[in-house]
Amino acid sequence: MAERLITDVGGLPADEVPRQEVPQLFWEKHMIAMFNVLWSKGVFNLDEFRRAVEQMTPKEYKESSFYGRRLDGMTNLLVEKGLVDRDELAARTEQIVREGTRDHVR
Amino acid sequence: MDHSDHEHDHDHGHHHDHGHDHAHAPHPTREDDDVALSHGEAKFLALKGLLIEKGILTADDIRRRLEINDRGTPHQGARMVARAWLDPAFKARMLTNAKTAARELSIEVTEAELMAIENTPDCHNLIVCTLCSCYPRSLLGEPPAWYVSKAYRSRAVREPRKVLREFGLSFPDSVEVRVHDSNADLRYIVLPMRPAGTDGLSEADLAALVSRDCLVGAALPGRSAT
Amino acid sequence: MSGEPAHGYALGDRVRIVDLGKPGHVRTPLYVRDKVGVIDHCCGSFENPENRAYGRVGRERIPLYRVRLKQRELWPDYEGAEDDSLVLEIYHHWLRPA
């Protein structure tokens, strides 16, 4: 039998379904819109994105949140395609964390 | 090229405190002024900044897409259900091709295919995407947190009746529970049965009975709007 | 639904979802591998996600089917009703006549 993809969870044991409503944060909404813009423009397709998420480590996947997966999967794919440099992204991220501002476009 | 385009985030979305499922509330969003900048948000802002600087997209592209995404709400699905309950010919068209039926109500579904699955006295339907989070977003907006949870994705296919009981639903063995794993190109909505005691209700009142969770099979429509 | 005629399988045909043992991106979950069901719907043809996931786009479209399986045959410990079923979408190359 083939190896199980980390995303292939159908039938695996799990706890009660978490029922509380989790409001979507403002930035998450924007991130989803950006994700949509990228595939609409053909920068990547949805199957590539799913494949990128499948390529996370089991630990990363297990600890990931839904929006975290979108962001990290999208990032990994953009890095793979040479459109984003991981070091540059990390540096920019740290700068934003330090500055604590949402005024981000330089 | 001038890259000093500053986003003005003055979009004040709805803010909902409700813990329960509200029939037609747009997915709750709020201006995050009072929320500390998380690492996730910082990563997103960094990525967005880089992509804009590289000319891969613009802030306007994102704004335009936000507007499109905001059109998706559970109410759109509820409207289709209410129309189907009142108009058998529409219902037949919806069951044949829900995407083109939606267009009759000026609802633009952008997914490749949309299939409506009808609940009957003999069969209750439940929708899940075990592999990721496929959901008819252009119709309904973003799925609830429970739908994308690993617990739901794991258990809905294996022990649907137990999961349904967690949602307060139980069916006798004479009713088949049919689970649809949305694992490829189709997207699904459940067409619930019209509750008894709703004769004479207007289309809008009928739509008000249909919550977001009814459209994936995790709830049944109410009997009155109140 | 997409108006295309079905290729290969027809409504009601018994089919086995095989385990191709294929590495990488596939949309056939493990829990249905090597299980038997019936064709519930012919969905038309779509590009193979196993190609698209690696940037190979614009390739041939392959038929997609909704296959319905009995829950009692999927899970040895299934506790629900006899008639409970599960339906999912399977691409042509993952199916064999049963």
Side-chain angles (χ1 to χ4, degrees), chain C residues 3 8 11 16 23-24 33 47-48 50 53-54 63 73 78 80 87 96:
Chain C
L11 214 60
R16 175 178 299 276
R33 305 264 179 109
E47 275 190 55
N48 188 348
E50 294 155 27
Y54 300 95
E73 291 172 21
Y78 187 72
V87 191
R96 301 288 182 272

Side-chain angles (χ1 to χ4, degrees), chain A residues 4-9 12 53-58 61, chain B residues 153:
Chain A
R4 180 186 289 276
L5 294 173
I6 48 175
T7 50
D8 190 354
V9 300
L12 293 182
V53 171
E54 286 155 14
Q55 288 174 324
M56 295 168 85
T57 68
Y61 187 76
Chain B
R153 287 166 49 211

Side-chain angles (χ1 to χ4, degrees), chain C residues 5-96:
Chain C
H7 306 279
Y9 298 107
L11 214 60
D13 282 356
R14 273 174 65 83
V15 288
R16 175 178 299 276
I17 302 171
V18 297
D19 190 338
L20 293 179
K22 198 175 176 184
H25 182 76
V26 296
R27 298 296 282 180
T28 307
L30 278 185
Y31 76 89
V32 296
R33 305 264 179 109
D34 210 36
K35 302 289 191 224
V36 174
V38 296
I39 300 292
D40 181 89
H41 184 78
C42 301
C43 309
S45 295
F46 299 83
E47 275 190 55
N48 188 348
E50 294 155 27
N51 282 327
R52 290 183 62 85
Y54 300 95
R56 297 188 295 267
V57 299
R59 304 292 171 94
E60 63 152 351
R61 293 178 161 249
I62 50 174
L64 180 69
Y65 302 92
R66 277 170 41 88
V67 178
R68 190 174 73 248
L69 305 109
K70 298 201 98 126
Q71 289 280 46
R72 288 197 172 227
E73 291 172 21
L74 277 182
W75 316 105
D77 54 355
Y78 187 72
E79 283 179 348
E82 179 74 45
D83 285 344
D84 284 358
S85 64
L86 181 136
V87 191
L88 82 170
E89 299 153 48
I90 305 291
Y91 292 94
H92 187 93
H93 58 300
W94 287 87
L95 297 171
R96 301 288 182 272

Side-chain angles (χ1 to χ4, degrees), chain B residues 96-97 113-115 117 131-132 134 157-158 160-161 173 176-181 183-186 188, chain C residues 1-2 27 29 31 41 43 46 64 66 68 71 75 77-78 80-81 83-89 91:
Chain B
T96 303
N97 189 329
E113 304 278 356
L114 178 68
M115 183 180 243
I117 310 274
L131 297 177
C132 45
C134 300
V157 291
R158 183 162 193 161
R161 288 179 183 260
D173 281 5
E176 176 191 337
V177 167
R178 183 172 292 190
V179 181
H180 304 261
D181 188 354
N183 65 311
D185 293 276
L186 272 61
Y188 299 95
Chain C
M1 192 156 52
S2 346
R27 298 296 282 180
Y31 76 89
H41 184 78
C43 309
F46 299 83
L64 180 69
R66 277 170 41 88
R68 190 174 73 248
Q71 289 280 46
W75 316 105
D77 54 355
Y78 187 72
D83 285 344
D84 284 358
S85 64
L86 181 136
V87 191
L88 82 170
E89 299 153 48
Y91 292 94

Side-chain angles (χ1 to χ4, degrees), chain B residues 68-99:
Chain B
I68 292 170
N69 289 354
D70 273 347
R71 292 178 209 156
T73 73
H75 183 59
Q76 296 200 127
R79 284 177 54 213
M80 292 181 70
V81 169
R83 179 64 63 91
W85 286 344
L86 290 173
D87 182 346
F90 177 82
K91 178 179 169 178
R93 293 194 297 276
M94 181 175 166
L95 292 175
T96 303
N97 189 329
K99 189 167 160 165

Side-chain angles (χ1 to χ4, degrees), chain B:
Chain B
M1 203 170 174
D2 182 18
H3 292 295
S4 60
D5 172 37
H6 294 285
E7 271 240 329
H8 295 289
D9 292 334
H10 295 309
D11 176 19
H12 296 282
H14 271 73
H15 183 93
H16 283 264
D17 290 313
H18 304 135
H20 64 272
D21 177 27
H22 189 89
H24 304 301
H27 207 112
T29 60
R30 61 185 190 277
E31 174 84 59
D32 288 346
D33 285 344
D34 55 339
V35 174
L37 189 70
S38 66
H39 198 256
E41 183 177 359
K43 260 198 297 192
F44 159 64
L45 292 172
L47 183 62
K48 178 180 169 186
L50 286 180
L51 293 174
I52 290 173
E53 283 165 30
K54 290 170 200 284
I56 291 170
L57 46 74
T58 67
D60 269 342
D61 288 333
I62 297 177
R63 254 190 296 270
R64 268 194 299 271
R65 184 67 207 211
L66 269 172
E67 281 170 29
I68 292 170
N69 289 354
D70 273 347
R71 292 178 209 156
T73 73
H75 183 59
Q76 296 200 127
R79 284 177 54 213
M80 292 181 70
V81 169
R83 179 64 63 91
W85 286 344
L86 290 173
D87 182 346
F90 177 82
K91 178 179 169 178
R93 293 194 297 276
M94 181 175 166
L95 292 175
T96 303
N97 189 329
K99 189 167 160 165
T100 55
R103 209 169 285 140
E104 293 182 41
L105 301 181
S106 305
I107 297 167
E108 206 52 47
V109 171
T110 57
E111 284 81 5
E113 304 278 356
L114 178 68
M115 183 180 243
I117 310 274
E118 182 187 15
N119 279 350
T120 69
D122 301 316
C123 186
H124 179 81
N125 297 280
L126 183 66
I127 314 299
V128 63
C129 176
T130 61
L131 297 177
C132 45
S133 68
C134 300
Y135 185 80
R137 286 172 168 81
S138 69
L139 176 68
L140 302 178
E142 280 293 296
W146 63 258
Y147 182 86
V148 305
S149 69
K150 295 189 192 82
Y152 182 72
R153 287 166 49 211
S154 303
R155 296 177 53 224
V157 291
R158 183 162 193 161
E159 41 185 34
R161 288 179 183 260
K162 202 160 168 206
V163 169
L164 285 166
R165 278 198 296 276
E166 288 172 23
F167 281 81
L169 294 184
S170 91
F171 301 93
D173 281 5
S174 53
V175 175
E176 176 191 337
V177 167
R178 183 172 292 190
V179 181
H180 304 261
D181 188 354
S182 182
N183 65 311
D185 293 276
L186 272 61
R187 301 291 175 268
Y188 299 95
I189 49 162
V190 170
L191 171 51
M193 285 191 288
R194 178 175 180 172
T198 59
D199 289 352
L201 287 186
S202 70
E203 191 167 325
D205 284 343
L206 287 172
L209 302 180
V210 182
S211 67
R212 176 200 65 196
D213 289 1
C214 294
L215 299 166
V216 290
L220 293 178
R223 264 141 217 276
S224 76
T226 50

